[in-house]
Amino acid sequence: VYPKPDGKLTFDRASSVFLSGTTHEENQPPHLVLRDPSIPIGENLPLYGEPARLYCPAGVYEVVYADEAKKTDPRFVINAQNCVHCKTCDIKDPAQNITWVPPEGAGGPNYAGM
Ligand code: SF4
């Protein structure tokens, strides 16, 4: 558990992704592919708390529950449109289950404000 971002030295992930200017074409082929779609919920969640939802700097991966309070029926959600292409998930997934490939041309962050 980390302290909440203060907006001066530390920032929330959604604001940082917005500043990166990340965009992708609608309906492009998936650039984040699961070798086995059952592993995030079947293995990574009970063993490691599904670390992709924590290490991804862009908040691409989420575990969503049908009932958040009771933590029932978890689903693994990939918000690929937010990906800033750091390739961490390809390297760090405990089961080596996530494959990152380059997006279509011009997709990704462009850091227009830097
Ligand atoms: S490449 Fe980086 S930003 Fe994209 S989904 Fe993987 S960890 Fe997240």
Side-chain angles (χ1 to χ4, degrees):
V1 177
Y2 293 96
K4 283 194 184 285
D6 63 12
K8 293 177 184 160
L9 294 176
T10 57
F11 302 90
D12 64 278
R13 280 195 263 194
S15 302
S16 297
V17 171
F18 174 75
L19 290 174
S20 74
T22 297
T23 59
H24 296 91
E25 276 297 319
E26 293 276 336
N27 302 323
Q28 70 170 269
H31 72 273
L32 301 164
V33 180
L34 300 178
R35 181 173 43 83
D36 179 347
S38 72
I39 286 179
I41 298 302
E43 293 182 21
N44 286 353
L45 185 60
L47 286 174
Y48 310 111
E50 191 23 84
R53 67 192 174 86
L54 302 173
Y55 61 64
C56 173
V60 166
Y61 301 103
E62 291 180 281
V63 174
V64 176
Y65 295 91
D67 183 333
E68 280 292 333
K70 294 179 183 167
K71 303 286 187 210
T72 56
D73 295 331
R75 272 188 312 120
F76 191 60
V77 176
I78 303 176
N79 303 299
Q81 71 276 11
N82 290 347
C83 179
V84 295
H85 306 297
C86 68
K87 209 172 185 292
T88 303
C89 54
D90 191 289
I91 297 164
K92 200 164 173 132
D93 182 72
Q96 294 293 288
N97 188 44
I98 302 173
T99 300
W100 172 92
V101 296
E104 283 186 342
N110 69 42
Y111 301 104
M114 293 181 77

